[in-house]
Amino acid sequence: MGGFTFDLKACARPNIIALQPYRCARDDYKDDGSNTLLDANENSYGPSLSLDLSTNRDIGSSTLKLAGLNRYPDPHQIELKQLLCDLRQPADSPATLKPENLFVGVGSDEAIDGLIRCFCIPGVDKILVCPPTYGMYTVAAQVNDVEVVKVPLEVEGESPSFDIQPVKIQELLKDDPRIKLVYICSPGNPTGKLVDPARLKALLEYSWNGVVVLDEAYIDFAGHGKTLAHWVNSYPNLVVMQTLSKAFGMAGIRLGFAFAPSEIARLLNNLKAPYNVSSLTSALAIQAVSESGLEVMGSHRELIVRQRERLIQELPKIQRIGRFLGGYDANFLLVEMLDAPRNLGGRPDNKTAKMVYSQLAETKGIVVRYRGNELGCTGCLRITVGTEQETTKLLTKLEEVFHEIP
Ligand SMILES: Cc1ncc(COP(=O)(O)O)c(C=O)c1O
């Protein structure tokens, strides 16, 4: 449990605390088919689609109602939120996660931005990030004219742990009350490594008036039961973000969500655009997190984990591949490119990594991510784990590239 009293009213922006959220007539009178809806200036003749709208697209337990696309979507998404709670509630504990603990938005990128707008006064407040980490925290801060303070992950030593450093973070928080949010990525991007829950706990038990945001975009690749989403009911200043873009393979529908103590979730829901999640997105998201969708996700995840294992076995057979840095908890690997073969003392090298990156893209048709300039990632490429065929192609082409470059 959080050992201090978090004062949300003193932490969130006063204008957001005072905000009266947009209300629509359908908050009072439901769209259940019994009413003639002339309240929202929609088009009663229907969507301008030259498709047969009378047949709904059957997508299993939910239905894509094309004929209903002339209506605004549900601003509250309670059915989807309940399914997300069921998904993340640990089986062996009482159901504490409720729809009122959730914000759903246009990818977790909307939650990243919404949290900054909720807590940080532009030009005054700050966020803290732990590089190497996901770049959107800084982009969202800059868009909102919010300064970014950095406490790196642990990158010292021959074999860096890439874990968070709670004592160093606390030292900064103690000296700077303008820091309102700490963004932590677990599993990390680009490190692929889960944060140690004990270190996170140490940070959550530190008394300060700000919010810890845990980004669990890749959590389903880390193994069963690793999510800490349910901790939001134990710590008043914890928000846990997740997404359907990764393990669920639904990046195209743009659906992300954040679990939060209900008072924080209420502020995020108050400030969002009322119709941020489209009807098509919510129908597909409901299907993805229903029983049959979860089965598909589970089998895809298994296939990805198998290819991840294969890459861990096979990549080191190429002499100019160095170490894997970070961990194996996500659907990508962070791997060093060496300036000479391992047995000749090759060292991780950015020039080599850049060459491999561009040769792979320009002559082999494979795009990976160069991460050599990130803290502690010298010479590294971040490689997403693909299908079996994609992995075979990657391994073959990577070997070819090393024969072609100096
Ligand atoms: C760590 C992390 N968080 C969030 C996101 C964005 O997710 P979404 O597609 O839900 O906006 C990404 C995407 O790459 C990511 O790597």
Side-chain angles (χ1 to χ4, degrees):
M1 284 295 277
F4 66 100
T5 314
F6 169 67
D7 185 357
L8 180 63
K9 285 202 172 67
C11 180
R13 288 167 68 190
N15 57 317
I16 301 296
I17 302 251
L19 186 68
Q20 289 297 319
Y22 181 81
R23 278 187 69 78
C24 47
R26 277 166 235 176
D27 286 333
D28 303 320
Y29 303 103
K30 295 293 166 219
D31 173 15
D32 58 4
S34 64
N35 291 316
T36 299
L37 298 173
L38 301 175
D39 60 306
N41 304 339
E42 297 151 335
N43 184 331
S44 296
Y45 287 92
S48 38
L49 294 169
S50 59
L51 296 169
D52 178 5
L53 301 182
S54 63
T55 54
N56 290 324
R57 299 302 188 267
D58 182 10
I59 52 162
S61 58
S62 49
T63 308
L64 270 184
K65 295 192 185 85
L66 292 183
L69 288 180
N70 57 327
R71 301 295 174 195
Y72 282 104
D74 171 14
H76 307 294
Q77 302 291 341
I78 301 299
E79 183 187 359
L80 173 59
K81 287 177 179 173
Q82 185 59 58
L83 286 167
L84 294 170
C85 292
D86 298 344
L87 175 68
R88 296 312 188 196
Q89 182 66 50
D92 56 356
S93 67
T96 52
L97 290 173
K98 301 258 166 16
E100 53 267 32
N101 291 118
L102 267 163
F103 163 83
V104 291
V106 184
S108 26
D109 286 347
E110 185 179 352
I112 292 169
D113 178 73
L115 282 158
I116 294 176
R117 288 191 292 136
C118 186
F119 287 98
C120 298
I121 300 172
V124 175
D125 290 328
K126 305 175 188 176
I127 69 163
L128 187 152
V129 301
C130 303
T133 194
Y134 182 48
M136 276 305 289
Y137 314 138
T138 295
V139 172
Q142 285 170 344
V143 166
N144 288 290
D145 192 17
V146 165
E147 195 181 318
V148 179
V149 175
K150 296 176 184 172
V151 176
L153 297 177
E154 209 164 58
V155 293
E156 292 81 19
E158 252 311 286
S159 190
S161 78
F162 283 117
D163 214 327
I164 56 166
Q165 308 195 77
V167 175
K168 289 190 179 164
I169 296 173
Q170 286 162 24
E171 276 164 14
L172 252 106
L173 298 180
K174 179 161 59 68
D175 290 340
D176 195 345
R178 301 276 36 131
I179 300 172
K180 293 296 184 65
L181 299 170
V182 174
Y183 281 89
I184 292 171
C185 194
S186 176
N189 176 3
T191 67
K193 187 170 173 189
L194 275 174
V195 162
D196 174 8
R199 293 191 185 208
L200 185 69
K201 208 166 190 171
L203 183 59
L204 288 167
E205 281 170 1
Y206 174 70
S207 176
W208 67 299
N209 215 25
V211 173
V212 175
V213 184
L214 185 67
D215 184 346
E216 290 191 335
Y218 298 95
I219 197 65
D220 291 296
F221 297 110
H224 187 68
K226 296 294 185 189
T227 178
L228 301 178
H230 55 289
W231 282 20
V232 302
N233 282 319
S234 301
Y235 296 99
N237 66 333
L238 173 65
V239 173
V240 179
M241 300 187 299
Q242 297 181 353
T243 177
L244 296 190
S245 296
K246 308 297 178 182
F248 285 88
M250 308 279 283
I253 71 168
R254 307 304 298 126
L255 194 286
F257 43 105
F259 292 95
S262 54
E263 296 78 15
I264 295 181
R266 189 170 50 76
L267 293 186
L268 291 173
N269 284 312
N270 284 355
L271 72 75
K272 79 177 177 70
Y275 309 116
N276 61 333
V277 174
S278 81
S279 319
L280 297 177
T281 290
S282 79
L284 289 164
I286 285 168
Q287 171 60 15
V289 295
S290 304
E291 211 176 316
S292 55
L294 288 175
E295 266 175 41
V296 179
M297 186 275 266
S299 65
H300 287 173
R301 176 178 55 192
E302 214 168 283
L303 293 170
I304 291 169
V305 168
R306 209 175 296 159
Q307 293 311 307
R308 187 174 71 190
E309 288 303 315
R310 185 174 160 216
L311 283 171
I312 294 167
Q313 297 299 317
E314 297 294 320
L315 278 173
K317 292 183 182 163
I318 303 173
Q319 271 295 323
R320 284 182 67 181
I321 294 288
R323 300 169 303 174
F324 295 104
L325 296 191
Y328 306 130
D329 299 319
N331 66 335
F332 54 83
L333 295 169
L334 185 64
V335 59
E336 291 173 336
M337 306 290 123
L338 307 182
D339 57 3
R342 257 192 330 271
N343 54 0
L344 299 179
R347 304 284 308 157
D349 174 48
N350 278 352
K351 203 165 139 232
T352 307
K354 269 187 204 156
M355 246 183 315
V356 174
Y357 165 75
S358 44
Q359 281 286 106
L360 272 179
E362 287 162 25
T363 68
K364 313 292 177 191
I366 298 179
V367 184
V368 297
R369 197 85 202 265
Y370 170 72
R371 295 283 83 182
N373 292 338
E374 301 293 311
L375 190 72
C377 302
T378 301
C380 280
L381 297 181
R382 192 195 68 197
I383 302 177
T384 304
V385 181
T387 63
E388 183 176 359
Q389 291 87 334
E390 287 170 337
T391 305
T392 304
K393 181 175 171 190
L394 171 77
L395 288 166
T396 313
K397 299 295 177 190
L398 198 51
E399 187 133 34
E400 283 175 21
V401 164
F402 277 117
H403 284 115
E404 292 161 10
I405 63 170

